[in-house]
């Protein structure tokens, strides 16, 4: 029997088996074949990271990515490809930048303009002053001393002595430690204090401006010349008055030492950054593979497409976006006909407070109050606390399972059950075909800080994957080294395969996944007093 | 008894003890007090690294360092402070540089001009071509294809996956492995082949120029945005025609990928580098503490003061230079009166082939032929092989021991006996007061690549210290992260103390250290054929 006949016979056998769950099992091997031998994951990744590059929310790069990803979904045959907007703020991009020390000697420094700070409009030359300011109570010490200065607001830290390898894969023992149920903790006053501290950036800018400072600089939080440049004053009307730069730790510390022992060094800063206010909305990208049962609801995978700008947004989170896109391509290519619709989401504004996924939750799943003061931006993330009642939207019951990817390009090693013990056995069963590829474990730990958080909070079963960390924490997360070449191709392919497999099984499951109880906890420790210096 | 009386009594007792070796023992505790409580090591280091900065041989920074180090020696009361010149080549420094990708999108790249390459004279804008060329046999493949291009001559590598901690201290087990005598290996033809390959840089430059290329770029050999920029065409008349830059690995690979899949990206290079030919000599800095016995000869410590330019030359080798200077300061401050003179040397031109220490050897210790073709620069280092006869100079017998420091700022853990088993017990005895400070072991291993090498070759007892590696290999050696804040203050202080103690004991020893037999080995394997592709 020739190979083609054998394949045709196998295919015919598969078609003859009727139960959706059984169809899915057979299709898992086709997913693996398509995701390994026919993979397009790294081609997609190369275009996203190299050709489009960084994708700061509402930046020109992100606009290109919004259009290109929709086009790719359409090319691959997905349906209902669309973008859903939500109000965000200003577009911002770096065209060119340079920071030099010009006295006491010439050194080209490693630096990046802080996101959404204004341009220098040419070259700005001024002496530095080291004025560590991290809270309003520090302002008084510097009044009258900052006029005409570039203010170095970070307290210089000692250098790092990394005692672990920069590149890591998880051991079974490490994964095992994640499988331990913990008492949820809840303190709404802490949330209020976090929100309050968000105003500090604006107050600092106003203080520096009033004092006549001409720019400010921070120290990078990673050593060895990596820079990051996160900033959060992206809303219209919030743009700071002063240009801001983040300096490599080595360069910052050198300036601080020189200023300590002698005349303050002089910097020459050119920050040619550009704003674009043509559209204040940011957009989530959505695409579907339509289910056969219109009443069965949908399952969804999501990853945030937006990034910071120091690198190309590869590990954070081009990797997750590519896995989601490749899973969509694989399932579309195979022509799967799942019971439930499978939806693919590329979120926007994640780096500024999970804003894209929050907008989706509020539009399609459930709203929740935000207290007496209507909050926007990052403050909404901080303040959208568990204390307000949940108001379900019409689609609340339709989302049967959500899988999020946002931990770099490392191989998927399992799933976080996110404090939802009732799903453990089902997830483990769905993972079992991928155990030999490294994705084996289901652990109870809850994870935060990315786009499944608000779904969890309203009671939708939203999960993250356990991933090998690689050099995510040590080198690339948000940094100037977050480029395509830190992505691991085999891991990326495995991730897309496992994601596609989980989605298809979830879409064909007899029952939707058991939901966690929506989180409306009591205050955990009503007897505690807040530390008045907790931000020291 | 009051403390001052106690100290005076102790001092009187010490003075009453006559034998020089016993004086030295007592003085070791004073060295430790001066080197810990009264240390100036980090003050010296801060000025050298922050204020003077990188010290490329014959650069303006090195000129300042030559003057400043002499002044410090004089301030501390050393005698016979002087500089000894040797012919080197051109001065070169980076005033300002910028490399951007301008198509298909704008990215400020991390790059450094390669040492002694010419300036761009303004801004140079051209497309790249990836043309991996590492040997003359590769030229043909690229003829007629390079006109108007910035030629990327490195073959792009895969990204690194560091599986060891970036910061390391040696375990006793690791040090133990160094104590294993090995058969010397010698192959003069290999030396000739190395010399021949040195011409490749010139041939490549001529080829690129003849083909009409406008600049060239290499890939950094470390990941995560570190750059280095070593170059060797420093002699007058050797300056290349084309500007050259080293790009961060991430930036190089991105350009290479884009060029592979579509139109070649365009770079905009500004390399504002400056030559200074006012003095072609480089200078070693020498300073003495005069011995009481004019016939007893001298002992010496040395470290190279010159550095590359991407960082501030801190771990390589400001650290060693500072330890040598601080050891000199401590001994001078204590007013020691050793039997032998103690000489302190700050070498120049080490990074270009141990040229300063070689000049010293030839002037003061012994000359050795260099074969039919008189070689200069790095070729002399490569070709100054063991095959030529040693001609002792009048001072050959005077140098009783030489200690070199050039392994970063890590704590001294012991001494390499450098294949000289007869010195082991003496060195171990001298180290014993410092065992509790971590300097304990004497191992037989031979080390190379720094300024004791030519002394070893002519039979002078020259040694290196075993040092904790810290992040020398992983991050800072020659890199843009080689700055003061990667130096460890406690380690630097310990190094200066141990060095001062070893020097004083060597200077007061009854006998000079036993000399190794001068190395004039037979060819180890006369039956071997060279691999014609060994540089592939």
């Amino acid at each position: 029997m020739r190979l083609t006949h054998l394949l045709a016979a196998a295919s015919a056998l598969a078609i003859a088996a009727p139960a959706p769950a059984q169809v899915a099992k057979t299709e898992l091997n086709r997913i693996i074949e398509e995701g390994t031998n026919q993979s397009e994951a790294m081609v997609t990744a190369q275009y996203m990271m190299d050709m489009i590059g960084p994708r700061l929310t509402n930046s020109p790069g992100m606009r290109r990515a919004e259009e290109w990803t929709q086009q790719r979904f359409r090319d691959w045959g997905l349906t209902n490809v669309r973008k859903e907007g939500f109000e965000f703020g200003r577009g911002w991009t770096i065209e060119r930048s340079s920071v030099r020390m010009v006295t006491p000697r010439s050194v080209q420094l490693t630096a990046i303009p802080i996101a959404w700070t204004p341009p220098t409009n040419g070259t700005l030359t001024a002496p530095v002053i080291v004025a560590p300011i991290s809270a309003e109570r520090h302002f008084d010490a510097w009044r009258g001393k900052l006029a005409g200065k570039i203010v170095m607001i970070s307290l210089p830290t000692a250098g790092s002595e990394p005692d672990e390898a920069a590149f890591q894969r998880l051991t079974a023992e490490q994964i095992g430690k994640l499988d331990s149920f913990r008492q949820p903790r809840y303190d709404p006053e802490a949330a209020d204090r976090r929100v309050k501290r968000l105003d500090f950036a604006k107050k600092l800018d106003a203080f520096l401006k009033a004092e006549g400072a001409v720019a400010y600089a921070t120290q990078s939080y990673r050593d060895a010349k990596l820079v990051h440049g996160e900033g959060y004053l992206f809303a219209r009307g919030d743009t700071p008055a002063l240009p801001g730069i983040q300096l490599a730790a080595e360069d910052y510390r050198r300036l601080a030492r020189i200023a300590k022992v002698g005349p303050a060094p002089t910097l020459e800063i050119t920050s040619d950054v550009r704003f674009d206010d043509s559209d204040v909305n940011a957009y989530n990208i959505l695409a579907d593979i339509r289910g056969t049962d219109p009443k069965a609801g949908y399952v969804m995978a999501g990853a945030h497409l937006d990034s910071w700008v120091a690198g190309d947004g590869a590990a954070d989170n081009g990797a997750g976006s590519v896995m989601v896109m490749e899973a969509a391509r694989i399932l579309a290519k195979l022509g799967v006909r799942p019971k439930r619709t499978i939806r693919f989401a590329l979120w926007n504004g994640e780096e500024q407070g999970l804003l894209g996924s929050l907008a989706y939750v509020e539009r399609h799943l459930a709203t929740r109050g935000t207290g007496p003061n209507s909050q926007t931006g990052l403050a909404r993330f901080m303040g959208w606390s568990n204390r307000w009642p949940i108001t379900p939207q019409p689609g609340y019951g339709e989302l049967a399972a959500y899988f999020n990817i946002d931990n770099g390009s490392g191989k998927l090693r399992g799933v976080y059950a996110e404090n939802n013990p009732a799903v453990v056995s089902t997830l483990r069963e769905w993972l079992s075909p991928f155990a030999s590829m490294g994705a084996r474990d289901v652990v109870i730990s809850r994870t935060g800080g990315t786009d499944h958080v608000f779904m969890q909070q309203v009671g939708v079963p939203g999960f993250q994957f356990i991933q090998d960390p690689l050099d995510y924490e040590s080198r690339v997360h948000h940094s100037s080294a977050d480029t395509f070449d830190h992505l691991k191709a085999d891991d990326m392919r495995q991730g897309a395969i496992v994601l596609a497999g989980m989605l298809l099984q979830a879409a064909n499951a007899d029952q939707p996944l058991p939901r966690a109880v929506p989180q409306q906890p009591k205050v955990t420790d009503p007897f505690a007093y807040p530390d008045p210096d907790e931000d020291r």
Side-chain angles (χ1 to χ4, degrees), chain A:
Chain A
M1 193 179 261
R2 285 169 58 188
L3 183 61
T4 47
H5 295 165
L6 184 65
L7 291 172
S11 181
L13 281 171
I15 288 160
Q22 190 55 42
V23 169
K25 292 266 184 212
T26 301
E27 281 169 333
L28 295 182
N29 283 345
R30 295 175 67 213
I31 288 172
I32 292 168
E33 200 281 329
E34 181 67 27
T36 52
N37 287 323
Q38 319 301 330
S39 175
E40 293 189 16
M42 295 312 281
V43 173
T44 302
Q46 195 270 338
Y47 194 90
M48 185 185 291
M49 265 51 86
D50 288 346
M51 309 307 282
I52 293 178
R55 302 168 304 282
L56 188 70
T57 308
N58 280 18
S59 68
M62 189 60 184
R63 296 304 186 203
R64 289 194 297 276
E66 289 163 5
E67 296 311 308
W68 172 75
T69 51
Q70 289 182 79
Q71 190 56 50
R72 297 311 288 145
F73 281 131
R74 287 193 191 99
D75 293 344
W76 292 329
L78 280 88
T79 59
N80 202 16
V81 178
R82 62 215 184 269
K83 60 179 185 180
E84 283 191 357
F86 60 95
E87 188 170 333
F88 175 79
R90 310 190 73 183
W92 183 90
T93 192
I94 301 170
E95 179 63 21
R96 170 194 302 262
S97 71
S98 168
V99 180
R100 295 170 65 225
M101 181 169 82
V102 290
T103 69
R105 58 186 174 92
S106 290
V107 190
Q108 193 79 42
L109 306 182
T110 299
I112 186 169
I114 291 170
W116 288 290
T117 56
T120 51
N121 298 317
T123 294
L124 179 163
T125 304
V128 302
I129 182 170
V130 183
I133 299 174
S134 59
E136 282 181 73
R137 64 178 176 276
H138 302 145
F139 288 171
D140 282 347
W142 299 106
R143 271 185 224 287
K145 299 175 182 169
L146 307 180
K149 304 287 174 61
I150 295 165
V151 185
M152 295 171 59
I153 63 168
S154 304
L155 184 65
T157 64
S160 64
E161 301 181 1
D163 59 0
E164 291 194 346
F167 190 91
Q168 302 265 349
R169 292 192 181 273
L170 291 170
T171 63
E173 186 186 0
Q174 288 171 315
I175 294 174
K177 285 183 184 166
L178 301 169
D179 195 24
S180 174
F181 188 92
R182 296 188 188 195
Q183 165 68 40
R185 305 265 156 206
Y186 180 55
D187 175 5
E189 289 179 8
D192 289 347
R193 291 192 299 274
R194 281 198 300 273
V195 169
K196 198 169 162 220
R197 277 199 299 278
L198 287 177
D199 288 338
F200 176 67
K202 282 190 227 177
K203 288 174 179 166
L204 175 63
D205 179 63
F207 171 70
L208 296 176
K209 178 70 180 170
E211 292 291 318
V214 296
Y216 75 98
T218 63
Q219 181 195 305
S220 173
Y221 48 85
R222 277 196 187 88
D223 271 2
K225 302 288 271 187
L226 295 173
V227 291
H228 311 81
E230 301 94 333
Y232 296 91
L233 297 179
F234 52 84
R236 279 193 299 186
D238 277 358
T239 303
L242 263 61
I245 54 166
Q246 187 183 75
L247 283 159
E250 283 78 6
D251 291 320
Y252 190 94
R253 295 187 194 113
R254 185 204 289 114
L255 292 167
R257 285 189 303 270
I258 294 175
K260 183 96 182 180
V261 300
T266 304
L267 294 191
E268 177 195 274
I269 304 177
T270 306
S271 175
D272 179 1
V273 297
R274 315 269 170 101
F275 287 97
D276 177 358
D277 296 321
S278 58
D279 185 353
V280 297
N281 284 331
Y283 297 92
N284 296 323
I285 308 303
L286 301 167
D288 295 347
I289 290 177
R290 196 164 296 140
T292 55
D293 179 353
K295 292 179 186 159
Y298 66 100
V299 299
M300 180 160 66
H304 71 88
L305 181 60
D306 68 295
S307 76
W308 292 107
V309 296
D312 292 334
D316 188 17
N317 185 27
S321 299
V322 168
M323 290 183 205
V324 166
M325 291 173 75
E326 175 71 355
R329 188 196 68 78
I330 291 170
L331 292 171
K333 172 89 174 290
L334 298 183
V336 297
R337 302 198 64 219
K339 185 169 75 175
R340 296 183 187 83
T341 290
I342 304 177
R343 180 162 299 165
F344 302 89
L346 299 173
W347 307 119
N348 209 328
E350 192 272 353
E351 298 291 2
Q352 292 78 39
L354 321 185
L355 301 179
S357 55
L358 175 55
Y360 184 92
V361 166
E362 293 192 312
R363 183 180 301 193
H364 297 289
L365 299 174
T367 58
R368 208 159 190 178
T370 57
N373 304 311
S374 172
Q375 287 155 339
T376 60
L378 191 55
R380 281 201 82 204
F381 166 60
M382 297 291 195
W384 204 79
S385 77
N386 294 338
R387 81 191 96 168
W388 313 113
I390 293 166
T391 307
Q393 297 282 63
Y396 183 70
E398 292 173 17
L399 179 51
Y402 172 71
F403 296 99
N404 194 69
I405 305 202
D406 187 17
N407 285 312
S409 88
K411 184 187 283 192
L412 307 195
R413 300 296 303 277
V415 181
Y416 292 101
E418 308 283 350
N419 273 17
N420 180 349
V423 304
V424 169
S425 62
T426 306
L427 291 175
R428 200 163 278 156
E429 155 70 15
W430 293 350
L431 272 183
S432 59
F434 306 106
S436 66
M437 304 175 79
R440 185 185 304 266
D441 288 292
V442 178
V443 300
I444 198 63
S445 290
R446 197 165 128 197
T447 61
T450 182
D451 293 301
H452 64 309
V453 161
F454 293 117
M455 297 187 202
Q456 281 186 356
Q457 288 204 356
V458 301
V460 170
F463 307 100
Q464 278 252 101
F465 289 97
I466 306 164
Q467 292 183 256
D468 277 337
L470 311 185
D471 53 357
Y472 191 71
E473 292 296 336
S474 62
R475 305 200 291 196
V476 302
H477 180 247
H478 291 194
S479 89
S480 40
D482 190 11
T483 55
F484 174 92
D485 49 345
H486 287 264
L487 304 179
K488 296 295 157 184
D490 285 349
D491 291 31
M492 296 279 289
R493 290 188 272 259
Q494 185 259 20
I497 288 167
V498 174
L499 179 61
M502 294 298 278
L503 284 169
L504 188 58
Q505 292 177 96
N508 280 325
D510 292 337
Q511 300 293 327
L513 282 173
R515 295 191 164 205
V517 177
Q519 292 173 37
Q520 289 177 295
K522 284 204 299 190
V523 173
T524 309
D525 183 0
F527 319 115
Y529 290 93
D531 175 359
D533 289 332
E534 71 172 8
D535 60 347
R536 269 206 181 150

